[in-house]
Each structure stands twice: as structure tokens, then as C-alpha cells.
Amino acid sequence: MLFNMNWNNRKVTGVLILLFFIFLSFFSVYYTHLLNGKIIIGDDIEFHKNRIEGLYEAISNGVWFPKLNMIMMNTMGYASSIFYSDFFLYIPALFRLIGFSISEAYISFMVIINFFTFVISYTSFYSIKNSLTKSFLFSLLFTTAPYRLLDLTTRAALGELLALTFLPLAFAGLYHILYGEPSKWYFLAIGMTFIIYSHILSAVMFALLVAIFLILNTKQLIKQRERVLSLIYSVVLTIALTLTYFIPVLEQTLSQSFKVGNNPIFYMSEKATDLGSLIVNSLSNKGTPNLGILLLIFLVIYSVIIYKIKDKKIKDIYFVAVLLFIVVTNLFPWKLLDQTFFNTIQFPWRFLGFVSLLVCWIVAEDPLHWVLKDKKKMASVCFLSLFLLISYTVNMRVNAPDEEVKSYEEFNQLDLSYLGAGKEYLPQSSDYDVLKEQPLQPTYDKEQLKIDDYNKNRDRISFTFDSESKQKITLPLIYYKGYTAEIAGDGIVSQPFLDKEENGQLSVIVNGKGEITIQYKETFLQNSMLFLSAFSWIVLLNYFIYKYFREKSNVIKKKV
């Protein structure tokens, strides 16, 4: 029915497409998250559950913009909110505030992510091609792409899943700047901003993709300076919108060394797959990092007929897709990059999300009118995509080990000591295995120092002390820049410092008598960057309002 309707009736078609997207948003998680009240436990789920619950706990205590997740590391605090933005986690956290369980909040969030991936993919492509059919096809293929479904299910890679939601928007912006309407440069800025707030590694990878496209279009950019200016505008706006993320991260990394980048748990060269395995896995339609049957077939087909395509835009996209497909494998010399910044990407197969986007884009563009010219072919591609979606999610549920399928009651249980595989945001001097067993009490010389009225509430610790000499007190808080100490009485207390001898915990030096309050307070840079980013968002919103009314006014004048 969808393909036999009158496509000129755009409003009716738009409503039907929207309803179809809503249905698929629920259906995509039915077998993996809803069936029989059980959910498949993904690799990163415990970490992201703790992130959501930590934000909910902070908001419940009146802290709307927390810098530390105070339920993590057994309430010793963890700087995930600084290094791994909570920007989109307010959605499930607010669900928790209105009474949802953690499982209900998480599943609802997955449905919302699915829906917005459909919608953003659709509108991003439509902004370029102004075609309901092409936009629908792109959105369907990309949102149901096996690698994205892998992030949704087996990996539970929430950050990367969110980044994939905005990847089409950012790419549409890049497309406009290089090939389309450079005046729509803000697509790239907004898309890149949301990717940064979702998953910084995906932002780094997208920046690499942008660099490749810029190299491919160097001659054109030299001749058309307005496109270069559009790119500059996009970069400047992105920086302005993300100051509240980057500057606090920089501030923390300059204040001490963290495990991120210093203690790689594996190397890219070890995780690169061989080409044969990648192809076999893609054909299997199972829960391993792969491109999927349908997209692999299209990549092969366009590899055979690419010589017939004259459109440079399509050739550029095809070239980058093939290049990144090779980058996923051990054909690429990853060994040379093991000791470089690029190793922070962790898994070469992360690029499969970008390959999926580019292949879907080429298919939807249909440069040789091979798919869209014939409604039967169009319908066949769409139905095959839906069939593979069903097959994939059913396989996920059927083949999942019993220990990875949990009831909602089991899912609602939290492991507050879990920090993710790499524990990246712990101080370099810390030992996780020791910290997680650490008693939540102060450590000091009881013969030389007396402590009374000890109280710990989130990131705030208070107590009275009595000492006749300088004494060190180590507190059950992981040290991050921003902790301050205040004293009432005649005694003396140092400002909190990183104690490398105590696994990166916070320590102070005291002398005399007094009452101490130690608490995390936002730094000047954290507060000022939040203000500047918020101001940038307000300016951008006002620009869009002005732009809307100006265009509306021009339409009215033309009619008159």
C-alpha cells in the first residue's frame, strides 16, 4: 500500500511514514527488550545504567548539572559526567523521576532513539533531495542497518547508538557545504555538536571522514570560497556549542593524568578483522560487527558498476565507503598506529557505522535509477530490509546465552562498582581492584588525630578534628579538580589534593581543632563555559526564528 499510494499527496504520505516509523521503533526492540518481560544484557549496559541512575540521583538531590556521578565507584564518585556527556541522559533520568523503573526508563529511551533516528535520517536526506521516496528508503535502510542494531542490542553501546542518530544530520551538512547549498552549513554544526555530546570517539571518527572528503574536494574548495567560509562557520559554531564539554575535560586532564590513553586494554591491530571473516559475518545476519547482507550486496553491486556513474558526489561517497570498509580489516596497517592517538578508537569495526551510512546514501540516491524507477524493486528492497530486521532481532533473542537474558527485576539491580572495561576516568595512580574494596571511611593515624561527627552525603563530607600536629586524612572520594575544603574554628586545613599513595583518593592535611566541610564545587571554567554554550544555543535559536519569519514574509510578498 505504501508504494502504490499517490505520492503527490505529501501530507497523507508524511503521516503514514511517521506512523510507520513509530511502529518500527517499538518493533525493533520487541524481541530483544520486550518479549516475555526480559531483556538481552549488552556489553556496556551496566556502565550506562549507572550513568542514568547517577544523573537521576543527582537531580533528585537538586543538582541538575552534576560533574561527578556520585553513585559510581560505590559512592566515591566518578567523573563520567565530565568526560562522557550526560546531555541526552536527561530523557531516561526524567523518566526515573516520574516513577519509571530503570528497565522501563531504558527501554523507553531505546524506542525514542529508534524513532528519532528514523526521523532525523529522513529529514536529513530530504533536505538535499526533496524526495519522499528516496528519504524514506535511506531512513529505513540506515536505521535498520545491522551494525546499528548491534549497538542497540548485543553491545548496548548507548553513546555510539546516540551518535549514529545524528550522523545523517552531520553528513547532510557536510554534503551541503561540499556539493549542495552551503547556506545550510548549520546542519553540520548541529549534527557534529550532538555527536560530541553523545560519543566523543564517534566525533573523532567523523572528523576523520570530513578530512577525507575535504581532501577529495580541495580543487573545488579553492575555487568556491563561499564553501570554505561555510565550513569555517560550522566549525566555529560547533566549538561554541560544545565549550561546556571540551573546556572542563581539558581542565581535568591538565590537572592530573588519567587512565584514558595511558592504559590501553587492547590495541586496534588486535581487534581488526580479516576481510573474509567480515564478509562471512555480514552474510550471516547475526550479532557480530558486520555490514549486513543487504548493504554488502549493494556495496558489491556498486563496485561493479561504479564506472557507469558520472556524478562526482556519488564517486566520492563510494570511494570513502570502500576505504573505510578496508580500514575495518587487517588489510589496513593498524600496527603502525597502536601507540598513537588513534588507538583510543579501540575497535576498527566502529567505522562500520560510517560505511553503513555511506552505502545507504548511495542506494537512496540511486544514481543509475536502478531501484526507485521500478516500484516493485523499491518494495522488494524495503521488504527485504524489514525481513532482515526481524531475522536479526529474533536471532539475537534465540541465540543469546541464558545468563545474558535477564528479567526486568534482575535488570533493575545495579553494580555500583562497575566503571566500564577501561576505567578510563580514574586517576592514573589508582588501582581499581583496591578501590572497589575500599571501606567508605576516612583513613588517618588514630593515635595522633581524633575525628568525630563524621558525615558523608554524596560529594560532601564533614567532620570535626583535634590534632596537635600536622596529620593527613584520606577520604573515600576519588580526587578530581573542583573539590574544596572549608573550616570553622582555629585549626588549619589544606585544600584537597590528589593522593597518589592512596590510589588517587582525596586527602587533606589538618592541624589543630576545627570542623571541616569538603565538597565538590563547579570551577570557574565549568560555570563560565556552561554560560557561553547556553548563550550560543540561544543565539542559534534566535537565528532560526528570524530565518523562519523572514522566509515566511518573503513567501507572503511573492503571493501579493
Side-chain angles (χ1 to χ4, degrees):
M1 179 180 177
L2 183 62
F3 303 101
N4 293 325
M5 68 166 59
N6 180 3
W7 286 89
N8 292 322
N9 192 341
R10 289 178 174 253
K11 289 186 178 180
V12 174
T13 303
V15 171
L16 289 175
I17 289 175
L18 194 64
L19 291 173
F20 186 64
F21 286 166
I22 293 173
F23 167 74
L24 280 185
S25 298
F26 281 94
F27 185 77
S28 297
V29 299
Y30 175 73
Y31 288 104
T32 54
H33 294 71
L34 296 172
L35 183 64
N36 298 327
K38 293 187 175 182
I39 183 172
I40 294 178
I41 302 298
D43 299 335
D44 295 338
I45 192 64
E46 292 300 330
F47 176 62
H48 294 301
K49 281 164 53 181
N50 285 345
R51 291 178 64 212
I52 294 169
E53 197 69 5
L55 180 58
Y56 159 65
E57 182 269 345
I59 296 173
S60 299
N61 283 278
V63 182
W64 282 88
F65 303 103
K67 299 304 177 185
L68 303 181
N69 187 313
M70 290 311 301
I71 73 166
M72 282 189 168
M73 204 62 246
N74 298 320
T75 74
M76 295 178 72
Y78 190 57
S80 59
S81 295
I82 294 177
F83 290 93
Y84 206 142
S85 175
D86 291 336
F87 193 87
F88 292 104
L89 297 191
Y90 283 89
I91 298 172
L94 291 175
F95 283 148
R96 291 286 287 123
L97 278 176
I98 63 175
F100 283 32
S101 67
I102 184 67
S103 56
E104 292 168 339
Y106 181 80
I107 294 170
S108 299
F109 192 33
M110 293 302 101
V111 173
I112 290 172
I113 291 173
N114 283 339
F115 176 72
F116 276 97
T117 305
F118 277 119
V119 171
I120 291 172
S121 300
Y122 179 89
T123 54
S124 297
F125 200 91
Y126 189 84
S127 74
I128 295 171
K129 294 301 175 182
N130 197 32
S131 166
L132 294 174
T133 311
K134 290 185 175 183
S135 303
F136 174 81
L137 179 60
F138 171 73
S139 178
L140 180 63
L141 290 176
F142 179 71
T143 309
T144 62
Y147 183 76
R148 184 186 169 279
L149 296 178
L150 182 74
D151 278 350
L152 178 69
T153 55
T154 305
R155 295 193 61 226
L158 179 57
E160 188 173 345
L161 182 68
L162 280 165
L164 290 175
T165 300
F166 302 105
L167 190 57
L169 179 63
F171 185 74
L174 178 63
Y175 189 103
H176 277 301
I177 290 173
L178 295 179
Y179 311 114
E181 304 173 58
S183 61
K184 293 183 177 179
W185 54 267
Y186 50 83
F187 276 62
L188 175 58
I190 296 173
M192 189 62 165
T193 296
F194 285 153
I195 292 174
I196 289 169
Y197 281 129
S198 300
H199 189 237
I200 188 61
L201 291 182
S202 293
V204 171
M205 294 163 66
F206 186 76
L208 294 174
L209 180 141
V210 170
I212 296 172
F213 273 98
L214 292 180
I215 292 171
L216 293 175
N217 290 273
T218 302
K219 291 183 179 180
Q220 178 183 347
L221 292 172
I222 292 174
K223 294 178 181 178
Q224 301 178 341
R225 292 187 178 182
E226 72 276 11
R227 297 191 183 277
V228 177
L229 287 175
S230 295
L231 180 63
I232 294 173
Y233 296 154
S234 181
V235 172
V236 171
L237 180 58
T238 301
I239 293 173
L241 296 176
T242 57
L243 283 172
T244 190
Y245 171 78
F246 281 113
I247 299 303
V249 168
L250 181 62
E251 180 182 31
Q252 291 295 328
T253 54
L254 290 176
S255 70
Q256 63 169 304
S257 295
F258 294 93
K259 291 190 180 296
V260 58
N262 293 313
N263 294 77
I265 54 178
F266 38 69
Y267 292 102
M268 294 279 279
S269 59
E270 299 170 351
K271 295 299 178 179
T273 184
D274 62 87
L275 181 60
S277 296
L278 179 58
I279 292 174
V280 170
N281 290 337
S282 297
L283 296 174
S284 70
N285 200 41
K286 293 182 180 180
T288 56
N290 65 78
L291 191 59
I293 301 173
L294 190 58
L295 297 185
L296 179 64
I297 290 174
F298 275 119
L299 183 61
V300 172
I301 290 174
Y302 279 102
S303 295
V304 173
I305 64 175
I306 189 64
Y307 71 95
K308 295 182 179 181
I309 299 174
K310 307 302 180 184
D311 190 337
K312 182 183 183 301
K313 301 186 295 292
I314 301 300
K315 286 187 173 183
D316 286 351
I317 295 172
Y318 166 79
F319 171 79
V320 178
V322 172
L323 175 62
L324 295 183
F325 187 77
I326 294 173
V327 164
V328 172
T329 72
N330 55 16
L331 294 176
F332 187 81
W334 281 114
K335 193 71 176 177
L336 300 176
L337 302 178
D338 277 348
Q339 303 297 331
T340 68
F341 166 79
F342 293 102
N343 195 65
T344 58
I345 295 173
Q346 299 176 329
F347 309 109
W349 38 258
R350 287 188 192 274
F351 285 101
L352 284 171
F354 297 83
V355 178
S356 299
L357 172 85
L358 298 175
V359 174
C360 291
W361 197 282
I362 295 172
V363 174
E365 284 254 23
D366 195 22
L368 297 178
H369 309 291
W370 180 71
V371 176
L372 299 177
K373 189 176 182 179
D374 187 337
K375 289 183 178 180
K376 289 183 178 180
K377 286 185 179 179
M378 168 72 173
S380 297
V381 171
C382 291
F383 283 122
L384 181 57
S385 177
L386 294 175
F387 172 77
L388 292 174
L389 166 65
I390 297 171
S391 172
Y392 185 92
T393 55
V394 170
N395 280 335
M396 285 293 94
R397 185 58 178 268
V398 171
N399 296 322
D402 291 340
E403 63 271 16
E404 293 182 8
V405 181
K406 303 291 185 181
S407 67
Y408 293 160
E409 291 76 14
E410 293 173 303
F411 185 87
N412 291 336
Q413 303 301 312
L414 298 175
D415 179 1
L416 300 183
S417 66
Y418 188 78
L419 304 180
K423 292 89 179 173
E424 290 99 332
Y425 317 132
L426 281 178
Q428 173 67 13
S429 58
S430 64
D431 185 326
Y432 168 76
D433 292 326
V434 174
L435 276 177
K436 73 176 182 179
E437 303 297 334
Q438 181 76 28
L440 298 177
Q441 295 294 326
T443 303
Y444 58 96
D445 187 343
K446 292 181 173 61
E447 294 182 357
Q448 302 294 324
L449 176 66
K450 182 181 179 182
I451 288 181
D452 290 312
D453 301 322
Y454 177 83
N455 180 63
K456 182 181 187 299
N457 180 22
R458 304 190 72 254
D459 57 3
R460 184 180 185 274
I461 290 179
S462 62
F463 56 88
T464 61
F465 70 93
D466 186 351
S467 172
E468 295 183 355
S469 60
K470 289 184 178 181
Q471 296 292 322
K472 183 176 77 170
I473 306 174
T474 300
L475 299 169
L477 294 170
I478 298 172
Y479 177 81
Y480 297 100
K481 185 172 183 179
Y483 273 108
T484 61
E486 297 177 353
I487 187 169
D490 297 329
I492 299 173
V493 62
S494 70
Q495 283 304 306
F497 61 89
L498 171 69
D499 197 332
K500 295 182 179 180
E501 296 177 355
E502 297 290 344
N503 282 301
Q505 290 177 252
L506 177 155
S507 291
V508 292
I509 304 296
V510 300
N511 192 6
K513 295 181 180 180
E515 181 179 357
I516 294 177
T517 300
I518 294 171
Q519 188 170 12
Y520 191 89
K521 294 184 178 180
E522 288 80 4
T523 68
F524 170 78
L525 283 176
Q526 289 171 353
N527 285 326
S528 57
M529 292 305 107
L530 176 61
F531 172 80
L532 288 175
S533 287
F535 178 75
S536 300
W537 280 105
I538 292 171
V539 170
L540 180 63
L541 180 60
N542 279 282
Y543 167 75
F544 284 134
I545 293 173
Y546 167 76
K547 186 173 181 290
Y548 170 77
F549 283 107
R550 186 183 64 180
E551 291 176 353
K552 190 174 181 179
S553 176
N554 291 337
V555 171
I556 294 174
K557 288 179 180 179
K558 287 182 180 180
K559 288 182 179 180
V560 174

